[in-house]
Amino acid sequence: MPPRWTVSMPDISVPDTPAIKAAVQAVEPYLLRTLADFVACPSLSGQEGPAAEFFESALAQLGLQSQRIVLDSDALRHYPLFSTPCCPDGGRYNVLARHVPARPIGRSVLFNGHLDVVPTGPQQLWQRPPFEAHVRDGWLYGRGAGDMKGGLVCALAAFQALRGMGLQPAGVVGFNGVLEEECTDNGTLATVSALKRAIGKAQLTAFDAVIIPEPVDESMLTAELGVFWMYADITGRPAHAGYMTTGRNPIEAAQAVMADLKALEARWNLPENRPTHFRDNTHPINFNLGQVHAGEWNSSVPCQARLGLRIGLYPTDDVDAVIREVEDTMRATLAGLGGDLRLDVTYEGFKSPGCIYDLETPAMRTLAAAHAAITGRAPAQIAHPAVTDGRYFRLMTDMPVTCYGPVARDIHGIDESVSIASLLTVTATMVQYMVQWCGVEPYVPPC
């Protein structure tokens, strides 16, 4: 049974779906222009300043005043979901703005998304420079266009579309742009910590729902994997290449380590080892070798090889137990090779459990109904093979949350792009959601 909409204002005509779609079409130029300018702000993890400043200015143009939530890793270390930083705090900050009606009578929602993007790789592999957004064949290209500046701009465009109809939400609507989701997610942890402190001091109330507009193909997440990053330093015995057999080559040892890790990965992906939410995904667990640094000289058996690894785990797994199993596997491999091989493991970046979302809450059922109203079909429900900011809200608060965002291609790859048609669909769904969840009231432009 679909949820019932109870929030309304006297004598306010609630817009129907055709009116919402027309209003979203009207803001398409704003959406594409804003997203292109957003993409043009390079914002690698640890260097999000330009994107944060842009997001502040975009919110200000909507008449929304932002507050900065400065990242303070030392103040967050006591949280179980804290991850070891990959870069200095450096005064970096999240951007949080709230639309607050004079007399809020509707329910509230927070749109939470990350400002940072991953490295581009060699720019010559891109058809155009990666931070030079351009449109081709119905797609907007550029690093971060899909993951996930497009989703954040959908939320801004939805708010603008309501304004275009002479309306605004009758409940509180928040917009939160966060730091370093791509390496630790400590940005969203900083916002959740700030919200919990403020709620504890009765400075504000919790949001009634959270939507993370990640590029998940207009679906809603039922679950997501956990992730941790590790660095494995394998030290061997160097020697002249002419006397190679007297040395112990750590690069060759690293190859054996990866072979055994891949065998462990294959076992975890067996059907009998996949939990219910991931039963239909044939390869949810991925052990990714993301970095290799090794060797000093072509004619020398090298001293050391360093592997940068990203390890996935199920939401039913304990992170520390998985870490021990992976380490034990690596040490067993090296012991089997014999000789003078030493393993040193360090952890930096993600140390994140997975989570399972509850899509049966009124907030999430309303989101599904809003998507169905716009598209004529219920959204797919998927288990995600990666980790998102949503877990902080799910595991640390009572706020209903899921990810719902546009269709994108080649995220973390070359020529990343986002579907313009999907951006419009997601924007319209967000408008429909605010109408149904928050209610609407007349928008009176400032004098």
Side-chain angles (χ1 to χ4, degrees):
M1 180 176 180
R4 298 174 61 186
W5 326 129
T6 58
V7 179
S8 62
M9 290 286 291
D11 303 322
I12 295 296
S13 177
V14 176
D16 58 15
T17 300
I20 289 172
K21 290 182 176 180
V24 169
Q25 287 293 333
V27 300
E28 180 180 357
Y30 163 84
L31 189 160
L32 298 182
R33 182 179 65 253
T34 303
L35 180 53
D37 291 344
F38 207 1
V39 168
C41 301
S43 55
L44 300 180
S45 293
Q47 304 169 41
E48 302 95 340
E53 293 175 3
F54 177 84
F55 196 54
E56 283 180 315
S57 67
L59 291 164
Q61 290 172 14
L62 294 176
L64 301 173
Q65 184 175 358
S66 302
Q67 68 179 97
R68 295 180 177 183
I69 300 174
V70 177
L71 181 62
D72 182 353
S73 293
D74 287 339
L76 301 174
R77 291 182 188 277
H78 67 283
Y79 286 107
L81 297 187
F82 176 77
S83 295
T84 303
C86 297
C87 45
D89 292 348
R92 293 177 295 133
Y93 56 89
N94 298 338
V95 177
L96 174 63
R98 296 187 306 144
H99 157 76
V100 182
R103 292 187 305 107
I105 65 167
R107 292 163 292 198
S108 61
V109 61
L110 174 67
F111 296 103
N112 185 94
H114 62 87
L115 303 170
D116 59 324
V117 301
V118 299
T120 64
Q123 295 197 17
Q124 62 268 26
L125 297 180
W126 290 67
Q127 296 187 33
R128 298 268 289 273
F131 296 111
E132 184 181 297
H134 63 284
V135 172
R136 186 174 70 250
D137 299 328
W139 296 78
L140 189 146
Y141 288 78
R143 173 58 88 227
D147 188 14
M148 64 167 290
K149 292 175 178 178
L152 273 172
V153 172
C154 285
L156 301 181
F159 192 77
Q160 182 80 323
L162 264 181
R163 290 267 183 87
M165 292 185 284
L167 300 169
Q168 65 179 12
V172 175
V173 176
F175 304 88
N176 191 40
V178 302
L179 305 169
E180 58 178 59
E181 186 269 357
E182 297 288 6
C183 58
T184 67
D185 279 338
N186 287 340
T188 290
L189 178 59
T191 288
V192 171
S193 174
L195 290 175
K196 289 170 76 72
R197 291 196 307 273
I199 293 166
K201 296 177 181 178
Q203 293 175 336
L204 63 102
T205 58
F207 287 96
D208 297 313
V210 181
I211 297 174
I212 315 284
E214 286 276 12
V216 291
D217 297 343
E218 300 174 18
S219 64
M220 295 174 64
L221 295 197
T222 60
E224 63 182 49
L225 292 182
V227 165
F228 68 87
W229 283 8
M230 67 188 304
Y231 294 89
D233 292 302
I234 302 173
T235 303
R237 187 190 320 128
H240 188 291
Y243 310 98
M244 186 177 69
T245 56
T246 67
R248 297 294 292 168
N249 193 316
I251 297 177
E252 294 174 355
Q255 292 174 313
V257 165
M258 283 307 305
D260 285 351
L261 286 181
K262 284 296 182 179
L264 178 62
E265 174 196 76
R267 289 199 298 275
W268 288 1
N269 279 309
L270 291 173
E272 60 267 28
N273 293 329
R274 298 197 298 265
T276 301
H277 287 86
F278 292 89
R279 195 61 49 79
D280 296 331
N281 187 329
T282 59
H283 204 286
I285 294 294
N286 294 291
F287 292 0
N288 186 63
L289 176 59
Q291 297 186 65
V292 178
H293 305 276
E296 302 84 29
W297 195 250
N298 285 12
S299 289
S300 296
V301 174
C303 296
Q304 195 171 66
R306 165 166 263 221
L307 307 180
L309 295 160
R310 178 266 200 198
I311 306 294
L313 58 137
Y314 293 117
T316 49
D317 291 335
D318 176 77
V319 182
D320 290 322
V322 172
I323 287 174
R324 287 193 297 271
E325 184 170 359
V326 169
E327 272 202 41
D328 288 347
T329 299
M330 299 170 78
R331 295 188 189 282
T333 301
L334 295 181
L337 294 175
D340 302 324
L341 291 166
R342 188 178 81 239
L343 174 67
D344 296 291
V345 181
T346 54
Y347 294 90
E348 182 181 282
F350 289 113
K351 184 185 176 184
S352 306
C355 70
I356 296 171
Y357 294 109
D358 182 0
L359 300 187
E360 293 304 314
T361 64
M364 297 300 102
R365 292 171 62 217
T366 301
L367 177 59
H371 174 88
I374 296 299
T375 65
R377 62 186 185 280
Q381 297 185 2
I382 66 168
H384 198 41
V387 70
T388 78
D389 284 330
R391 72 187 183 285
Y392 288 105
F393 298 98
R394 177 61 174 151
L395 299 177
M396 293 180 64
T397 79
D398 294 326
M399 304 178 205
V401 59
T402 194
C403 294
Y404 170 84
V407 175
R409 300 186 301 199
D410 297 313
I411 62 173
H412 290 218
I414 303 299
D415 290 328
E416 175 182 349
S417 61
V418 64
S419 162
I420 294 173
S422 185
L423 288 172
L424 296 175
T425 295
V426 169
T427 300
T429 297
M430 289 177 173
V431 176
Q432 186 84 39
Y433 185 81
M434 287 188 284
V435 168
Q436 298 177 181
W437 183 251
C438 306
V440 290
E441 64 181 20
Y443 167 59
V444 180
C447 300

